[in-house]
Amino acid sequence: MGYEASIEFSWAPLLVELKEEEENRRVLRLDSIEENAKYWLGVDVLVFDSAHWWTHSGKWSSWDYFKEGARLFTNLNPMVAYEKGLTTWAKWVDLNLDPRRTRVIFRSVSPRHNRENGWQCYKQKEPLVFLGYSPRVPGQLVVLREVLKKMSFPVYLMDVTSMSALRRDGHPSIYAEEGRDREGPASDCSHWCLPGVPDAWNEMLYALL
């Protein structure tokens, strides 16, 4: 394109390392990040995003155990685990990146209009009106803000949460599966249609660059 630029995608949805150990146990190492972070060195602009995968549970969970140091946990509050993992990431950024060389942007959690929020996307075709609407602040965003406050490296928080919360109409809802016109598991209120809301996030990112 003439800009001598390249874009790379590094798959690390939990930021910290997820390992398969003895007896096929999937262990999420809350204080280990080097294997993922080696791809982040020498980059001009880093854009991070980590939130939803931390709340998965049961058969949807990516891990069987949490590990911190030599301690192994089977049960840990998801937001406590998220804070520990995010703190590991923050320490790595503070110690290994130079703000004169690298810009770091962290995109906030994408809101879900799902079951616990009353299936707010079910069959919706119009966005919410901002006036009088007070969106719920996800726990991940609360944790992220607190961790960023403690960092010495200037990380820019690209907050897409509130603006996206208005777009209850932007999800596939029931329309992702033709003929399944019913409220329930078929109503996808977590993912987004494309083109759609994520395009607005890209416009925000473009403006930051």
Side-chain angles (χ1 to χ4, degrees):
M1 295 176 62
Y3 293 103
E4 297 184 359
S6 62
I7 299 175
E8 297 181 13
F9 175 73
S10 175
W11 177 249
L14 299 163
L15 299 179
V16 292
E17 296 172 14
L18 180 63
K19 295 283 190 178
E20 186 171 297
E21 299 190 353
E22 57 186 43
E23 299 178 358
N24 296 320
R25 295 186 304 181
R26 300 169 302 167
V27 179
L28 184 59
R29 298 181 176 180
L30 298 173
D31 54 2
S32 182
I33 200 170
E34 291 296 333
E35 190 168 309
N36 294 331
K38 64 185 179 183
Y39 299 105
W40 308 336
L41 293 168
V43 179
D44 295 306
V45 181
L46 286 165
V47 182
F48 291 96
D49 164 32
S50 180
H52 280 312
W53 282 52
W54 289 90
T55 61
H56 292 177
S57 60
K59 67 178 182 179
W60 304 110
S61 176
S62 301
W63 59 84
D64 301 307
Y65 300 92
F66 295 103
K67 191 173 186 179
E68 186 177 32
R71 295 182 298 170
L72 210 61
F73 306 89
T74 53
N75 291 306
L76 192 62
N77 182 291
M79 290 302 96
V80 172
Y82 181 53
E83 182 178 16
K84 289 178 179 291
L86 207 55
T87 298
T88 297
W89 166 84
K91 289 179 178 177
W92 184 91
V93 170
D94 280 340
L95 289 172
N96 293 279
L97 298 183
D98 183 349
R100 295 169 296 182
R101 170 70 175 83
T102 302
R103 294 179 62 191
V104 177
I105 299 167
F106 205 113
R107 199 211 74 188
S108 69
V109 59
S110 166
R112 296 182 293 179
H113 303 89
N114 53 7
R115 182 181 285 111
E116 57 262 32
N117 294 322
W119 286 120
Q120 294 175 357
C121 88
Y122 183 66
K123 285 188 175 181
Q124 296 294 338
K125 298 180 181 179
E126 297 291 336
L128 289 164
V129 178
F130 182 77
L131 186 63
Y133 175 67
S134 179
R136 169 184 167 272
V137 179
Q140 297 101 313
L141 181 54
V142 175
V143 171
L144 175 60
R145 285 172 174 166
E146 289 303 312
V147 171
L148 294 183
K149 284 180 184 177
K150 299 174 184 177
M151 295 179 67
S152 59
F153 192 100
V155 176
Y156 184 88
L157 174 59
M158 192 176 93
D159 190 349
V160 303
T161 307
S162 295
M163 60 173 281
S164 304
L166 298 171
R167 291 299 309 276
R168 62 183 180 181
D169 60 315
H171 300 286
S173 185
I174 61 170
Y175 305 104
E177 298 185 43
E178 186 176 352
R180 298 191 67 179
D181 186 7
R182 63 182 178 85
E183 185 172 352
S187 188
D188 183 351
C189 297
S190 296
H191 297 94
W192 299 94
C193 294
L194 290 174
V197 173
D199 293 308
W201 304 344
N202 289 336
E203 290 290 338
M204 291 175 65
L205 179 59
Y206 181 74
L208 289 173
L209 301 178

